Amino acid sequence: AQTVTQSQPEMSVQEAETVTLSCTYDTSESDYYLFWYKQPPSRQMILVIRQEAYKQQNATENRFSVNFQKAAKSFSLKISDSQLGDAAMYFCAYTEYGNKLVFGAGTILRVKS
Amino acid sequence: EAGVVQSPRYKIIEKKQPVAFWCNPISGHNTLYWYRQNLGQGPELLIRYENEEAVDDSQLPKDRFSAERLKGVDSTLKIQPAELGDSAVYLCASSSILMTGESYEQYFGPGTRLTVT
């Protein structure tokens, strides 16, 4: 069974600084999709960024970028120029072709002003 | 575009009572998911529908949980009777490969926080 591991229960970053959240996963498949979701206290799960496993190029979305290392099964999220609104729980998730999302346990990100 | 709608947002019940949650997915999304999120953990799939067919209900505790998706649109998740361990957030999500392409992105509703006392 596929598993997703987030080893950082909590991270802190100073406003305007950069922070990296870690994620590793385990799968025997070669084709899959990886996501980072943000969940603020409102509980609404919001997609931050996605990565297709067949793509070599790392995905970027404005201040958010990933470091996808397929051989190492690693998928980290970098947030640049952190803002107070980035404070939330961040989940790494894995899926194969629209089946269930397998989530990690999450990392709480705190942003200090 | 309207997002995934869920109701109620909060529900407090006593153990052994029944409870139901409702979800309206994004218009045109044929795939619907119910997840359960325990405190401090990531969501876990309970059931997945393709149109009106439940294609993955392997994690649904069928002795007390039931779900339906009549006409392949709205869905209801029911627990009867509820137990203390059922306290969690119940999230509904929807997706459509026809509308989002092969990104397999799932769109989530705001969830229902259930407290069983």
Side-chain angles (χ1 to χ4, degrees):
Chain A
Q2 292 78 16
T3 59
V4 176
T5 302
Q6 293 179 249
S7 58
Q8 306 155 316
E10 187 172 329
M11 293 284 284
S12 293
V13 63
Q14 200 71 32
E15 200 175 4
E17 296 296 311
T18 297
V19 65
T20 298
L21 307 184
S22 301
C23 172
T24 58
Y25 57 94
D26 187 29
T27 183
S28 58
E29 300 295 327
S30 58
D31 291 330
Y32 48 87
Y33 298 78
L34 296 165
F35 304 89
W36 279 98
Y37 278 89
K38 169 186 177 181
Q39 187 178 42
S42 67
R43 301 197 306 268
Q44 185 82 46
M45 197 75 79
I46 302 165
L47 179 67
V48 174
I49 198 166
R50 74 172 68 84
Q51 175 78 44
E52 294 86 346
Y54 64 84
K55 289 187 177 179
Q56 299 280 355
Q57 188 173 5
N58 289 324
T60 61
E61 287 286 344
N62 301 313
R63 298 182 296 107
F64 299 88
S65 62
V66 299
N67 183 2
F68 173 49
Q69 301 290 327
K70 190 172 184 179
K73 298 180 182 176
S74 171
F75 182 60
S76 61
L77 174 70
K78 185 171 80 172
I79 306 174
S80 303
D81 186 24
S82 296
Q83 301 174 0
L84 294 177
D86 294 333
M89 176 77 90
Y90 286 80
F91 289 98
C92 178
Y94 164 106
T95 191
E96 298 165 13
Y97 306 112
N99 295 332
K100 64 180 179 181
L101 280 169
V102 178
F103 287 87
T107 296
I108 298 172
L109 178 64
R110 305 192 190 281
V111 181
K112 301 175 182 177
S113 59
Chain B
E1 162 182 288
V4 177
V5 179
Q6 289 188 249
S7 68
R9 290 296 310 275
Y10 303 89
K11 189 72 176 180
I12 301 174
I13 61 171
E14 295 183 346
K15 62 181 181 182
K16 300 185 181 180
Q17 295 300 306
V19 65
F21 314 123
W22 176 80
C23 173
N24 181 241
I26 292 173
S27 178
H29 281 196
N30 61 307
T31 307
L32 184 145
Y33 312 78
W34 281 103
Y35 290 88
R36 177 168 61 186
Q37 184 177 18
N38 293 316
L39 185 64
Q41 299 180 23
E44 293 181 330
L45 182 74
L46 289 173
I47 190 168
R48 175 169 67 98
Y49 282 94
E50 294 289 345
N51 299 305
E52 63 273 9
E53 182 182 358
V55 295
D56 183 358
D57 63 356
S58 57
Q59 300 302 309
L60 188 72
K62 298 181 183 63
D63 57 336
R64 298 183 300 107
F65 286 65
S66 64
E68 61 182 11
R69 191 184 184 196
L70 300 176
K71 301 181 181 179
V73 181
D74 295 4
S75 178
T76 302
L77 178 68
K78 299 178 181 178
I79 308 175
Q80 182 170 10
E83 297 180 351
L84 295 176
D86 296 331
S87 295
V89 173
Y90 291 83
L91 295 166
C92 179
S94 69
S95 69
S96 171
I97 190 173
L98 295 178
M99 297 178 71
T100 64
E102 294 187 351
S103 66
Y104 299 105
E105 177 178 345
Q106 295 183 22
Y107 296 79
F108 285 81
T112 298
R113 181 179 295 280
L114 174 67
T115 301
V116 181
T117 62

